[in-house]
Amino acid sequence: MLGPLARLNRRDFVRMSAAGLSAAAVLGPRRARAAASPYPDWLPASQKPPKRGGVMTRASAWDPPVIDPRHTQSVGLFQFAGLTSNRLVRYPFSDEASGPADLTLKGDLAESWQSSADFRVWTFKLRQGVKWQNLPPLNGRELVAADIKYCFEQYAKEGVQAFTFQEIEGIETPDKSTVRVHLKTPNTLFPQNVAEPVAIIFAREVLEEDGDLKKRLIGTGPYTLKEHTRKVRVVLQRNPDYYDKGRPYVDEYVILSTPDAATRLAAFRTGQADFIWVASPSEAEVIRKTNPQTVVQAYHNTLAPFGVSLAQDRPPFNDVRVRRAISMAIDRQKMVDTVFEGHGILGWGVPYIYYQDAPPTAKDFGPWWQYKPAEAKKLLAEAGHPNGFETTLFYYEYFPQMTSQVQLVQQDLRKNLNINVKITKLDYTTYYGRYVEGKWDGMSWGFQSGHAIGLDERTYMYMHSKSTKNFFRVNDAVIDELTTKLRRTPDRAEQRAIAKKIVDREYDQVLRMWMPYDNGFLLFQPHMRNVAAGALRRTDGYGSPTLVRSWMEK
Amino acid sequence: MQKYVLRRLLLAIPVLLLSSLIVFSLMRVMPGDALIALMGESGNVGEKELAKLRKDLGLDRPYVEQYGLWLWQMVSLSPGHSIFTNEPIGVSLRKAIPVTLELAALAMIIGISIAVPVGVLSATRQDTPSDYVGRVVAVSGLSLPDFWLGTLVITFAAIWFHWIPPLGYVSFWDSPWRNLQQFLLPAAVLGFRLSAATMRMTRSTVLEVLREDYVRTAWAKGLAGRMVVYKHALKNALIPVVTIIGGQLGVLLAGTVVVETIFALPGMGRLTVEAILYRDYPVVQTNVMLVAATLVTLNLVVDLTYAWLDPRIRYS
């Protein structure tokens, strides 16, 4: 049964065929553009009064593996879980954000929050009159502080959020609308952590009745989960009892499981989907040729989720000179220009918005990130490898361009340093298991999770030597000290300064070798309003909660 | 006849056993651990948690024991639960099988409807423009892979006609018209491929039969051309055609994997591919066994069809 799939790199071919054929059909031959995108990176909120009703539809590549939020941080689930459920606090929606980099925290279930002077105790005051959805066994009862306590305690016991919630020492609920969280160590960034998409509040009764959350997802959010048919559709229906009266505006949001990229494009073209994400400028252009009214938002990533990960706890990669030499031998700009048609970022791991205003340019990364093959060769010789060496690299092709990137790295290292990299392309399960186990040798195309937006998550959780999410195997005393200090620093300006020191140290020691990443585009049908994507949060993914403010003018 | 069927059914047992052994072994030797993938997202892949989950799922037992248990589950028609979704496999199959069956059946109807008339036309008008067209169509069907053709069809349908089949599967019983719209294009893509080999075989066997003495006799008797071709020649030419259709069933099922993905149909193909990617052992094993059993049965049906086509054939 698997013959055709096993023989061919189908995704590559299909994507190229679809884009190429479409282009041929509507454009005629043309060269890939390497120019900056002509599309705006921010779509301001509509000034018109919102219109109620309608069914919003999207063709989605992702299917939720399970609907139990403790068991997955997959975008398949969180493309809608943030609409069925709320968090204590949240990031701004597109109609209230000042721009794509606005990360000011807003109250969600909590109306206000404050910390003790030592940042070990955080007190959240809950919004009055929030009700669970009117579905059994909750039947629209009021949300109380004990619900939050129960949920956080369950997250600490097991699940993808465990690391965040295990830092809680205890939770008090002095009254039904106050939650007091005691942390084991000070953390000024705790509210950010509970604003992450994966920190949604689930219903105690469902877990107790069913033993898990795999069958029902009941929350306090603007939409109820009306239907989830695996590999077919997810249907969300407007929750009439939502605490934010009058919202949401759209009656139903339907997510159609559509694994094929060409089919998703076709769905958008024919109006079966109201918005879509595409990776390259040429894809956006091709769609605009057949659908000229399409509204395009040029999405700008504030970090790169992928990079070359080295077994830096063992030779030869435990020698910083080797890491620096490798970094200098890779032409990142060439990757942006060719693989991402000029619409990509050079690659960095901590969102730049936490330490500077504008996206970093090549010079911001310091000397070891510049493409200097001659110096790289000299440095590698100094490290005792004048003739290069043999190593391995394994990866999973998250998207078709990744294979081109891996091959460019292989070519650069062979040409510039005589390092012979043997590439192994793995399927997802093999790759994931091997990568997170952290016992592999040589190199891997590493990742950091896509769901998180917070500074704590992107620094302490991914880089501290004791963190279980430290997949890049960073073990640096300076980083440990800085990331811990960051958690204890309340002042925004000081936070920025420390974050900058962290990234500078990361670049200097080449602890994580980030690679270029696409920016992509979000395309909307012309009748869509208030659907812009924010920083790190695409409307079609982890940023879906913003859809509570969206409406359709048709 | 009954004896023959009984013998074939008995022979199917070792075939299925061998298939079960192969799929069970392959799943165990494949790299990648479903449980690490399942738990790994937290970054907390503790040995203790893994051991507990392994025990809960019975994956800590010796392979022989696991195999025996699984065989018993298959025989007792209770194939267990998916490791990944925890959904009973029986439930997943009840949803997926009708989709694939409908797709395969429609593809078969479309394929045969194209193949036989065009094959006959090619044969009766050998080396004429219509024969050349038929041959080009057949060679195209053989050469163009399903995924390319499917992508092409859906992309150009969207660009030229601003239409594609409605996404979001609905069953025939819920909405017959919408369901047919959803299946027509994918079935046509699959059917086109299926028709290619059948068309070639129809053409060559009809050509061969047309040169037989009894056909010449039929012409000599002054029978109408249509009568000669369709009543005397075609029926006798059909045995190899039926054989090749039977042989194509495996290709057809393989094709559903790709076509279901392109046209977003939740059939057996997508179910199996997803299960393989996540190393969902019970689902993969059950699906493969189901496909093996289906192919064995269909081959038997094809063999039995020979007697209907040619009464001289006797089973003993």
Side-chain angles (χ1 to χ4, degrees), chain B residues 51-231:
Chain B
K52 183 181 175 297
L53 195 55
R54 245 180 253 290
K55 193 168 178 222
D56 291 348
L57 294 167
L59 296 173
D60 60 334
R61 298 182 194 179
Y63 284 155
V64 176
E65 202 180 318
Q66 284 183 44
Y67 178 66
L69 187 69
W70 172 57
L71 273 191
W72 172 245
Q73 285 178 326
M74 293 302 294
V75 171
S76 58
L77 300 179
S78 56
H81 290 70
S82 153
I83 291 179
F84 214 74
T85 63
N86 206 29
E87 187 175 50
I89 296 170
V91 173
S92 307
L93 290 177
R94 271 199 293 278
K95 290 182 208 160
I97 289 173
V99 177
T100 302
L101 271 185
E102 185 179 349
L103 180 61
L106 278 174
M108 187 70 89
I109 291 168
I110 291 173
I112 294 172
S113 309
I114 297 171
V116 175
V118 176
V120 171
L121 195 74
S122 273
T124 52
R125 299 185 184 183
Q126 193 185 4
D127 295 333
T128 63
S130 51
D131 179 28
Y132 293 135
V133 170
R135 283 152 74 177
V136 167
V137 170
V139 172
S140 308
L142 286 172
S143 328
L144 300 178
D146 297 329
F147 68 84
W148 192 78
L149 197 59
T151 306
L152 207 71
V153 164
I154 207 154
T155 302
F156 280 98
I159 292 173
W160 288 341
F161 307 113
H162 208 67
W163 180 89
I164 60 166
L167 296 174
Y169 168 76
V170 287
S171 82
F172 183 81
W173 310 113
D174 289 338
S175 173
W177 174 233
R178 194 176 168 87
N179 173 274
L180 282 177
Q181 285 184 78
Q182 291 179 330
F183 277 82
L184 203 62
L185 274 187
V189 168
L190 268 181
F192 179 58
R193 182 155 176 76
L194 180 79
S195 71
T198 314
M199 204 187 295
R200 297 287 298 160
M201 182 56 78
T202 308
R203 180 183 179 274
S204 59
T205 50
V206 169
L207 269 176
E208 202 179 307
V209 170
L210 285 176
R211 292 184 190 116
E212 292 285 334
D213 289 344
Y214 64 87
V215 173
R216 197 178 303 123
T217 307
W219 287 118
K221 276 163 51 183
L223 288 177
R226 187 171 296 178
M227 179 73 89
V228 174
V229 172
Y230 287 99
K231 185 154 187 209

Side-chain angles (χ1 to χ4, degrees), chain B residues 2 13 15 45 95 126 157 176 224 293:
Chain B
Q2 282 172 341
I13 293 173
V15 172
V45 196
K95 290 182 208 160
Q126 193 185 4

Side-chain angles (χ1 to χ4, degrees), chain A residues 1-2 4-5 8 10 13-14 17-18 21-22 25-26 59 63 65-66 71-74 159-160 162-163 166 212 214 229-233 256-260 262-263 266-267 269-272 290-291 427-430 432-433 436-437 439 468-469 471, chain B residues 31-34 36-38 40-45 47 84-87 95 147-148 151-152 154-156 158-160 162-170 253-258 261-264 266 268-274 276-279 291:
Chain A
M1 267 187 97
L2 281 174
L5 282 186
L8 291 150
R10 201 184 65 80
F13 192 81
V14 167
S17 295
L21 287 166
S22 310
V26 296
D63 229 7
V66 285
H71 292 168
T72 184
Q73 59 194 19
S74 154
V160 294
F163 190 75
Q166 277 167 0
D212 57 39
K214 288 178 176 170
T229 307
R230 282 183 62 74
K231 290 189 277 292
V232 181
R233 65 174 78 77
L256 298 165
S257 170
T258 316
D260 191 74
T263 311
R269 277 200 170 105
T270 55
Q272 284 199 46
T290 52
N291 301 56
D427 66 280
Y428 176 74
T429 305
T430 312
Y432 199 94
V436 301
E437 204 178 19
K439 293 174 185 164
T468 53
K469 289 184 179 178
F471 298 135
Chain B
D33 188 328
I36 290 183
L38 193 64
E41 288 194 71
S42 61
N44 292 314
V45 196
E47 289 297 324
F84 214 74
T85 63
N86 206 29
E87 187 175 50
K95 290 182 208 160
F147 68 84
W148 192 78
T151 306
L152 207 71
I154 207 154
T155 302
F156 280 98
I159 292 173
W160 288 341
H162 208 67
W163 180 89
I164 60 166
L167 296 174
Y169 168 76
V170 287
L253 286 176
T256 60
V257 174
V258 175
T261 302
I262 294 173
F263 290 91
M268 288 286 289
R270 272 178 77 190
L271 182 70
T272 310
V273 168
E274 191 184 273
I276 290 170
L277 290 177
Y278 287 117
R279 302 291 186 278
V291 170

Side-chain angles (χ1 to χ4, degrees), chain A residues 121-357:
Chain A
V121 183
W122 283 91
T123 305
F124 297 88
K125 282 278 178 197
L126 298 188
R127 198 181 289 279
Q128 298 294 308
V130 176
K131 288 179 181 171
W132 290 96
Q133 287 159 1
N134 194 11
L135 297 165
L138 281 303
N139 299 316
R141 76 162 171 83
E142 189 185 2
L143 175 97
V144 291
D147 291 321
I148 311 292
K149 179 176 189 285
Y150 177 82
C151 189
F152 282 8
E153 285 170 351
Q154 295 305 316
Y155 278 146
K157 268 190 205 161
E158 63 166 318
V160 294
Q161 307 85 347
F163 190 75
T164 298
F165 291 94
Q166 277 167 0
E167 70 170 331
I168 295 175
E169 197 170 53
I171 303 174
E172 285 178 83
T173 53
D175 58 61
K176 70 172 191 175
S177 58
T178 307
V179 181
R180 193 166 293 141
V181 179
H182 295 260
L183 302 178
K184 289 174 185 164
T185 54
N187 190 354
T188 58
L189 302 169
F190 183 72
Q192 288 190 356
N193 291 346
V194 294
E196 297 290 2
V198 297
I200 56 170
I201 306 300
F202 60 81
R204 172 190 198 136
E205 286 90 333
V206 175
L207 182 57
E208 286 179 347
E209 268 189 23
D210 297 354
D212 57 39
L213 300 164
K214 288 178 176 170
K215 296 171 211 75
R216 297 183 283 179
L217 185 60
I218 301 175
T220 52
Y223 286 93
T224 56
L225 181 58
K226 183 180 167 191
E227 180 192 341
H228 167 221
T229 307
R230 282 183 62 74
K231 290 189 277 292
V232 181
R233 65 174 78 77
V234 169
V235 181
L236 303 181
Q237 191 172 41
R238 186 175 186 274
N239 172 14
D241 303 320
Y242 185 51
Y243 73 75
D244 193 357
K245 294 295 168 211
R247 292 186 174 115
Y249 302 114
V250 177
D251 287 339
E252 262 191 14
Y253 177 29
V254 181
I255 301 173
L256 298 165
S257 170
T258 316
D260 191 74
T263 311
R264 291 195 297 276
L265 288 180
F268 183 80
R269 277 200 170 105
T270 55
Q272 284 199 46
D274 288 304
F275 56 108
I276 189 175
W277 177 84
V278 298
S280 64
S282 53
E283 282 175 295
E285 257 183 56
V286 160
I287 288 190
R288 292 259 299 163
K289 285 287 169 188
T290 52
N291 301 56
Q293 301 302 315
T294 299
V295 177
V296 182
Q297 181 186 12
Y299 186 70
H300 287 276
N301 271 304
T302 54
L303 63 68
F306 299 100
V308 175
S309 187
L310 306 169
Q312 54 183 299
D313 49 359
R314 58 190 74 161
F317 304 114
N318 57 352
D319 186 334
V320 68
R321 291 171 299 180
V322 174
R323 299 201 296 270
R324 285 171 175 168
I326 289 175
S327 182
M328 283 197 293
I330 298 170
D331 190 348
R332 293 173 175 82
Q333 189 58 51
K334 186 170 76 183
M335 255 188 228
V336 172
D337 292 342
T338 55
V339 178
F340 298 114
E341 299 179 30
H343 186 66
I345 58 172
L346 283 169
W348 51 85
V350 178
Y352 72 84
I353 48 185
Y354 289 120
Y355 53 89
Q356 62 185 59
D357 296 327

Side-chain angles (χ1 to χ4, degrees), chain A residues 392-396 424 426 431 434-435 440-441 443-445:
Chain A
T392 54
L393 185 152
F394 67 93
Y395 80 107
Y396 162 70
T424 312
L426 300 173
Y431 164 81
R434 190 183 293 182
Y435 183 66
W440 44 270
D441 219 341
M443 306 160 87
S444 166
W445 204 262

